[in-house]
Amino acid sequence: MTDYNFAYLDEPTKKMIRRAILKGLAVPGYQVPFASREMPMPCGWGTGGVQVTAACLMPKDVLKVIDQGADDTTNAVSIRAFFARVAGVATTTRTAKASIIQTRHRIPETPLREDQILVYQVPIPEPLRFLEPRETETRRMHALEEYGLMHVKLYEDIARHGAIATSYAYPAMVNDRYVFDPSPIPRFDNPKLESPAIQLFGAGREQRIYAIPPHTRVVSLDFEDHPFEASKADGVCALCGAEDSYLDEIVADDAGTRRFQCSDTDWCAERRA
Amino acid sequence: MSGVTESDPPLLSVRGLTKSYGGRIGCAGIDLELWPGEVLGIVGESGSGKSTLLACLAGHLEADAGTALYAGRDVLTLPEPARRRLGRTEWAFVHQHARDGLRMNVSAGGNVGERLMAGGARHYGDIRRTAEDWLARVEIDPARIDDRPSQFSGGMQQRLQIARGLVTGPKLVLMDEPTGGLDVSVQARLLDLLRGLVRRMGLSAIVVTHDLGVVRLLADRLMVMKDGRAVETGLTDRVLDDPQHGYTQLLVSSVLPT
């Protein structure tokens, strides 16, 4: 380990990112701008998450990386190998054994603990972006707590589909103050955002970091007559028989037969072991 | 102006409002009073500063000098949160171009409901019923509640914009050329609708236009502007039928006979 500084980034950069993380934790849900660095991977592959993880990693940490719940997909394997090489930290696929978990699109089914950090890869941190394209205006709306527009989006969903059709990146209110985008996790995972673990969100291309401290109130937005519902596919895991975990749908043959399988591979493997 | 007496305090009282663009005058030393339930027309040719005046009142532009008292507070120096709250509750703004005032990629119902949701309405059924009611009041078929404004004609878009503004029951409506760009028969229908709404809801309104026909139908009082200054004010009929200032005389005489 002489070619790289520990965890790839140089120390002043890590200090800058840690400062953004601390500010994010102090103001839950607020998007803190940070000077995102060029990483040895393209934007959209988790450059934000990787920088946050790099800033949090300690030599004794145990790292787990998941992509859509799975430990064995390209993104997860590459990032895990990356940190094994540039930081020399131990890696694991077991949720319970990890001290830092970097994730894309899922929260693990295994309940997290207070000594764990969950790092999310975020493509678009601004929940109001597709409703209001101007960054100056969305910042002002956050500052003034003008979130009527967020409900306009949910209204449009119901008007068009008869129910709130937003099934991922479901907007939620953090600590009764900021509406935030929980990254594209399925809305099934939204209730898990109230967690004993520290949750950090890194958006590399958009240069934003935000955070949810442990045990912070997170309320998914809804209407009184159309309450929030943590939905999942109506089925049972074909491998482990789980009924209460988030399921991936798989087309099994040319006749259109469908099977379901736990999206969290570690959870599924644990149940079968 | 039924029921309004001199002793009632004005709803809006503007003193010495001035706005310049560098060395050029936008509007200068404007004084005006607006009483509850009254419609004030502001007329003048293009570039006379009438839109600048309205934009300053609405907070779209920052005035250089002057005060505008509304409910005991100067709206020109109001902090931004309070001014924006005012802008979506007690005030409404009707843009000349409906696309400036509408969200074109959101359904008609969502457009009307936005101010309600911004005000904390969280019951989908209630919001939708209110939106349907308002579409009917501006003569849009409630069956089109889920259509987007881009599927509406120009006149319908303008009526939708009005419904979107009036749904929270504002006290004061600022209108910038509300009939601009619409053909004559659509204009007439819109004016008729506006007149009905203003009377029924007891609204106060400031209507900026260069169309003297619009103010004759809509306005109780008139202010004539030229080169950024108010040159004449008075009751609409008095100003239009017996213009005193040279410019007003020119303006009135340049209307084509119908």
Side-chain angles (χ1 to χ4, degrees):
Chain A
M1 277 318 303
T2 51
D3 297 345
Y4 295 103
N5 185 38
F6 176 75
Y8 188 76
L9 294 173
D10 59 284
E11 292 304 318
T13 299
K14 285 200 259 178
K15 190 172 173 183
M16 174 271 293
I17 295 173
R18 285 173 192 148
R19 207 177 273 148
I21 292 172
L22 288 175
K23 183 168 179 181
L25 285 165
V27 192
Y30 171 71
Q31 298 168 46
V32 186
F34 81 109
S36 178
R37 296 290 194 256
E38 195 83 10
M39 296 304 283
M41 51 166 52
C43 285
W45 283 72
T47 53
V50 163
Q51 289 177 76
V52 171
T53 302
C56 292
L57 267 184
M58 305 277 274
K60 59 172 184 7
D61 270 323
V62 181
L63 180 69
K64 171 183 161 82
V65 184
I66 48 176
D67 171 9
Q68 308 270 14
D71 292 280
D72 53 2
T73 48
T74 316
N75 198 226
V77 171
S78 330
I79 293 174
R80 200 162 54 229
F82 174 73
F83 280 116
R85 187 152 143 207
V86 300
V89 292
T91 60
T92 181
T93 58
R94 301 277 310 278
T95 304
K97 284 191 177 159
S99 57
I100 296 185
I101 304 169
Q102 181 170 334
T103 177
R104 172 172 177 264
H105 297 197
R106 274 311 308 278
I107 297 175
E109 305 285 355
T110 310
L112 300 177
R113 302 183 311 265
E114 278 181 358
D115 59 346
Q116 291 178 310
I117 300 177
L118 186 60
V119 178
Y120 294 77
Q121 303 170 195
V122 181
I124 293 164
E126 179 51 73
L128 301 161
R129 176 58 67 239
F130 293 109
L131 302 156
E132 175 54 67
R134 290 167 295 175
E135 175 71 14
T136 47
E137 185 65 14
T138 52
R139 281 208 209 184
R140 198 166 289 151
M141 290 159 85
H142 281 294
L144 303 176
E145 282 186 80
E146 286 183 5
Y147 292 129
L149 201 51
M150 210 68 251
H151 273 88
V152 173
K153 180 186 189 296
L154 301 179
Y155 170 94
E156 289 289 292
D157 262 8
I158 304 174
R160 220 168 287 162
H161 307 289
I164 297 178
T166 305
S167 55
Y168 64 94
Y170 193 103
M173 170 83 83
V174 181
N175 202 23
D176 301 320
R177 176 60 183 84
Y178 285 99
V179 165
F180 93 121
D181 182 331
S183 86
I185 59 170
R187 72 176 183 199
F188 174 82
D189 283 343
N190 265 34
K192 290 189 239 163
L193 288 165
E194 281 188 3
S195 167
I198 294 176
Q199 299 174 81
L200 305 174
F201 299 76
R205 180 180 42 208
E206 304 284 326
Q207 315 203 322
R208 293 290 184 278
I209 284 173
Y210 50 105
I212 305 178
H215 307 291
T216 303
R217 196 169 133 84
V218 181
V219 181
S220 304
L221 302 184
D222 60 2
F223 286 102
E224 288 159 18
D225 47 346
H226 287 267
F228 170 80
E229 211 179 310
S231 62
K232 67 181 262 295
D234 195 15
V236 175
C237 176
L239 296 175
C240 73
E243 293 173 359
D244 53 353
S245 80
Y246 191 72
L247 300 174
D248 287 338
E249 190 176 8
I250 299 162
V251 179
D253 57 28
D254 288 347
T257 310
R258 274 136 214 272
R259 298 200 315 170
F260 293 99
Q261 184 184 318
C262 286
S263 116
D264 187 335
T265 51
D266 171 58
W267 168 261
C268 195
E270 286 296 305
R271 280 174 51 87
R272 282 178 285 146
Chain B
M1 285 183 70
S2 52
V4 177
T5 62
E6 286 284 320
S7 58
D8 284 342
L11 185 71
L12 180 72
S13 170
V14 179
R15 288 281 166 272
L17 195 143
T18 300
K19 166 78 187 170
S20 56
Y21 300 101
R24 221 169 297 130
I25 291 173
C27 61
I30 302 290
D31 297 336
L32 67 85
E33 240 105 54
L34 186 71
W35 274 273
E38 183 190 38
V39 178
L40 174 69
I42 301 179
V43 294
E45 60 193 2
S46 299
S48 59
K50 51 196 195 312
S51 289
T52 300
L53 169 62
L54 203 66
C56 286
L57 289 177
H60 300 167
L61 288 175
E62 204 174 321
D64 297 332
T67 57
L69 288 179
Y70 171 83
R73 292 187 298 178
D74 182 4
V75 293
L76 299 182
T77 56
L78 215 54
E80 196 178 2
R83 210 190 59 218
R84 285 171 71 117
R85 200 174 310 123
L86 196 66
R88 59 173 193 261
T89 52
E90 292 179 29
W91 289 28
F93 196 95
V94 177
H95 293 264
Q96 174 175 7
H97 301 291
R99 4 188 99 242
D100 295 338
L102 291 174
R103 293 194 187 277
M104 298 305 282
N105 54 355
V106 166
S107 71
N111 264 295
V112 177
E114 182 175 346
R115 275 169 78 109
L116 296 172
M117 291 183 250
R122 293 289 178 265
H123 191 284
Y124 174 81
D126 290 350
I127 293 166
R128 199 163 168 85
R129 265 188 298 281
T130 312
E132 277 170 350
D133 176 46
W134 266 99
L135 289 181
R137 285 165 83 165
V138 297
E139 299 166 15
I140 295 174
D141 181 0
R144 300 199 62 178
I145 186 166
D146 293 331
D147 289 352
R148 294 178 179 200
S150 48
Q151 294 162 285
F152 286 4
S153 69
M156 281 169 79
Q157 287 181 3
Q158 199 57 285
R159 295 203 297 275
L160 181 62
Q161 193 194 178
I162 289 163
R164 174 183 157 91
L166 296 190
V167 66
T168 48
K171 292 190 177 123
L172 174 59
V173 186
L174 306 176
M175 295 188 234
D176 189 7
E177 306 268 9
T179 59
L182 301 176
D183 68 49
V184 181
S185 62
V186 176
Q187 274 192 22
R189 210 168 139 206
L190 186 71
L191 283 173
D192 208 37
L193 175 79
L194 275 176
R195 198 156 55 157
L197 287 173
V198 164
R199 294 286 177 273
R200 257 201 315 276
M201 297 177 70
L203 290 175
S204 303
I206 298 181
V207 184
V208 161
T209 179
H210 58 257
D211 188 338
L212 294 183
V214 169
V215 285
R216 195 187 272 283
L217 278 172
L218 216 51
D220 302 304
R221 271 191 315 128
L222 211 54
M223 183 166 101
V224 183
M225 286 183 71
K226 178 171 170 42
D227 297 332
R229 290 169 200 284
V231 294
E232 187 166 353
T233 42
L235 295 177
T236 304
D237 291 348
R238 214 275 298 141
V239 174
L240 291 183
D241 296 339
D242 181 20
Q244 302 293 308
H245 191 273
Y247 175 71
T248 317
Q249 292 171 356
L250 184 73
L251 201 65
V252 171
S253 63
S254 52
V255 175
L256 294 173
T258 47

